[in-house]
């Protein structure tokens, strides 16, 4: 409340700013404080929070690189690792609802083959490391990305039972590197929303508090990773769908530079005009695995990056903002998130030769509107949101579905139908309406190009607040501007966990590098993990 009052007092001398401040005061109070109170009350009548089963198998606490090394050295078998994760999924999934399909028998068969290959001595340990750096390591994948034989619906009721007939390009690359897909994870319907729920598989819960969101649209992946049900995963991100759930679930998530990782094999299919905005990327519990995954997932484009280039953290120039520049519709940064930011900046102030510099990039406060207008302008040239959501079903009554979805009676979720209505009736019909925001986008591109040289990093919050109560984000879509803006800018962006807040919810920061300087992001992520501990298990660890 004190934040809102300070804004009112600050603008008291300007009648126009005073009026705007009053409107924003009530808007933020309604979408922030009041919404938390209301949905906290609603969720109080839902399922009680329960602690996850303890992590008992030490294999579940190893990084993917550590597991691969142990498997190559015959210290553990791939079969034992895969079995450990299958068992962990059986333990946590009834609580989280994160996994929608598995391939246990096939995965164990592939693990057995890998163990036999290693035992044969056909390849040396060094050859295996070079050719298959993830050999024998289990992998989970967002269900919007096809894994041959597994469900491939993206939570769409009319796609019930549809299975992938082939692997997406990125899954082919990871298989070639020795990874073993074991499951696909829940997503929001058609990847449209910032909370993972749909009317096909239901809602995914946050492992740190079951009454809270796991985020979206890669929320199933984020929740499973955080609960030690997976060690490495694959998500995709056109408006923050990797970084947002990574933030809410306290794991690492990286959206690569534009045009690096192949995006073929997704549903909904990504139109060519949007390929520059979507990023398929790694999600994992340990920062040390980000580089290995990105090297594999980049395929032939890996040479466009400098992932093996040595980074001297001390020589980096750090720029930062503690919020988005006070966007009118985004919520103020929560104390726990601000504290995480300040701890990270304080650390780099101690170790960097040049002290971190606070900057003010004005266009960031328009992040959500820039993203929405730029992406909508591109999509409108290909298809409407209505046609993408309802497909060939011409008999759908939008207003009926809107009413029914509000009560959970529709095949479509409320955010999806609401998006259709906004586009159909409220969105500007004249494409020129997007021009002011395209100009802001271009200015932001110039600002970051000037700011982020080859030894520079920009840090800001990933989101302004930790995981909200389920459904509270109905009124907080604008908060996505914190992450979505970097999709339209094409820059590499990484969520890094920095502990828990006073409510036991994960908080963290977003690390941004210059175009194709992903290696700087990953180096900073490793440093943040080293200093602040990275992932924190939401349940007990035994032994």
């Amino acid at each position: 409340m004190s934040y809102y009052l300070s804004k009112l007092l600050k603008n008291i001398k300007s009648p126009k700013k005073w009026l705007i401040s009053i409107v924003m005061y009530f808007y933020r109070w309604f979408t922030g404080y009041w919404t938390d109170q209301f949905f906290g009350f609603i969720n109080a009548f839902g399922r009680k929070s329960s602690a996850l089963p303890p992590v008992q198998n030490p294999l579940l606490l190893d990084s993917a690189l550590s597991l691969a090394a142990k498997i190559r050295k015959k210290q553990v078998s791939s079969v034992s690792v895969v079995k450990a994760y299958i068992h962990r999924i059986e333990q946590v999934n009834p609580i989280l609802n994160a996994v929608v399909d598995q391939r246990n028998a096939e995965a164990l068969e592939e693990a057995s083959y890998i163990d036999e290959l290693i035992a044969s001595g056909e390849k040396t340990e060094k050859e295996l490391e070079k050719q298959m750096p993830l050999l024998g390591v289990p992998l989970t994948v967002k269900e919007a990305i096809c894994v041959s034989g597994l469900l491939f619906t993206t939570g769409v009721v009319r796609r019930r039972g549809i299975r992938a007939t082939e692997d997406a390009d990125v899954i082919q690359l990871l298989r070639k590197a020795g990874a073993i897909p074991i499951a696909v994870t829940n997503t929001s319907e058609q990847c449209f929303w910032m909370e993972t729920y749909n009317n096909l598989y239901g809602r995914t819960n946050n492992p740190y508090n079951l009454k809270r969101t796991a985020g979206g649209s890669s929320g199933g992946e984020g929740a499973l990773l955080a609960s030690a049900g997976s060690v490495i995963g694959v998500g995709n991100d056109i408006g923050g769908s990797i970084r947002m759930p990574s933030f809410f679930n306290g794991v690492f998530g990286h959206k690569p530079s534009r045009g690096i990782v192949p995006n073929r094999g997704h549903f909904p299919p990504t139109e060519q005009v949007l390929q520059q905005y979507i990023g398929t990327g790694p999600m994992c519990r340990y920062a040390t695995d980000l580089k290995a995954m990105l090297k594999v997932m980049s395929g032939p484009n890996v040479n466009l990056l400098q992932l093996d280039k040595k980074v001297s953290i001390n020589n980096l120039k750090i720029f930062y903002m503690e919020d988005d520049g006070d966007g009118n519709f985004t919520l103020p940064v929560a104390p726990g998130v601000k504290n995480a930011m300040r701890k990270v900046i304080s650390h780099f102030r101690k170790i960097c030769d040049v002290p971190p510099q606070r900057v003010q990039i004005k266009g960031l406060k328009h992040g959500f509107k820039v993203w929405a207008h730029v992406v909508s302008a591109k999509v409108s040239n290909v298809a409407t949101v209505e046609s993408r959501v309802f497909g060939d079903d011409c008999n759908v009554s939008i207003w009926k579905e809107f009413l029914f979805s509000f009560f959970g009676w529709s095949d479509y979720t409320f955010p999806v139908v609401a998006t259709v209505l906004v586009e159909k009736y409220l969105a500007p019909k004249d494409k020129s309406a997007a021009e002011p925001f395209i100009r802001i986008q271009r200015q932001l591109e110039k600002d970051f190009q000037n700011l982020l040289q080859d030894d520079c990093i920009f840090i800001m919050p990933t989101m302004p607040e930790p995981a909200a109560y389920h459904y509270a984000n109905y009124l907080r879509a604008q908060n996505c501007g914190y992450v979505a803006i970097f999709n339209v800018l094409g820059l590499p962006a990484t969520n890094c966990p920095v502990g828990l807040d006073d409510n036991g919810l994960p908080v963290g920061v977003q690390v941004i590098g210059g175009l194709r300087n992903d290696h700087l992001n990953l180096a900073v992520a490793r440093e943040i993990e080293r200093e602040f501990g990275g992932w924190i298990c939401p349940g007990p660890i035994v032994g």
Side-chain angles (χ1 to χ4, degrees), residues 221-360:
E221 197 61 41
L224 189 66
L225 284 161
S227 63
S230 179
V231 63
I232 52 174
V234 179
N236 58 8
D237 185 322
I238 196 170
S241 288
I242 286 175
R243 289 157 290 152
M244 194 188 313
S246 294
F247 171 75
F248 290 152
N249 293 283
V251 298
F252 291 89
H254 179 70
K255 181 198 77 68
S257 291
R258 71 160 67 104
I260 297 296
V261 176
N263 295 318
R264 192 190 69 84
H266 297 189
F267 184 86
T270 308
E271 292 89 347
Q272 189 60 39
V273 294
L274 294 181
Q275 286 290 322
Q276 61 184 312
Y277 304 138
I278 190 169
T280 303
M283 299 173 67
C284 49
R285 273 184 280 143
Y286 302 103
T288 50
D289 291 332
L290 288 173
K291 176 180 172 181
M293 287 192 73
L294 186 57
K295 286 180 76 171
V296 171
M297 296 169 71
S298 299
N301 292 329
V302 70
N303 293 329
L304 298 177
L305 303 177
Q306 307 173 72
L307 295 180
D308 288 325
K309 184 177 180 180
K310 187 175 180 180
V311 177
S312 174
I313 296 293
N314 295 352
N315 293 331
L316 286 179
K317 297 182 180 68
I318 307 290
F319 301 97
Y320 71 96
M321 288 174 61
E322 290 189 349
D323 53 32
D324 65 348
D326 196 27
N328 283 337
F329 291 96
T330 53
L331 291 181
V333 175
V337 177
K338 186 167 290 188
N339 184 49
M341 268 293 302
R342 290 176 176 174
K343 287 196 296 185
V344 169
I345 296 305
S346 176
H347 171 65
F348 285 111
R349 184 168 285 115
K350 293 175 185 176
I351 68 171
C352 289
D353 296 337
V354 177
Q357 180 181 343
R358 188 168 185 167
V359 294
Q360 191 68 21

Side-chain angles (χ1 to χ4, degrees), residues 86-162:
I86 289 174
H87 178 62
R88 184 62 178 170
I89 289 173
E90 290 172 350
Q91 287 183 313
V92 302
N93 200 51
I95 300 171
L96 300 178
N97 189 35
V99 171
V100 300
D101 200 12
Q102 296 175 250
R103 55 189 303 275
N104 295 351
E106 297 91 336
L108 287 169
E109 185 177 337
E110 290 166 14
S112 179
Y113 170 79
I114 286 170
D115 290 334
E116 291 172 4
L117 172 65
I118 294 170
S120 71
E122 181 181 327
K123 293 180 181 290
T124 67
E125 187 182 323
K126 286 189 176 181
E127 287 175 331
L128 291 172
E129 182 179 12
K130 181 178 180 181
Q131 297 171 15
M132 292 175 279
L134 298 174
L135 185 63
V137 177
L139 165 77
T140 52
V141 183
K142 180 181 184 178
E143 198 239 13
I145 301 168
C146 58
V147 177
S148 182
L150 294 187
L151 290 170
F152 183 44
T153 67
T154 318
V156 178
V157 171
R158 70 171 183 273
R159 288 176 60 85
R160 186 190 304 273
I162 289 180

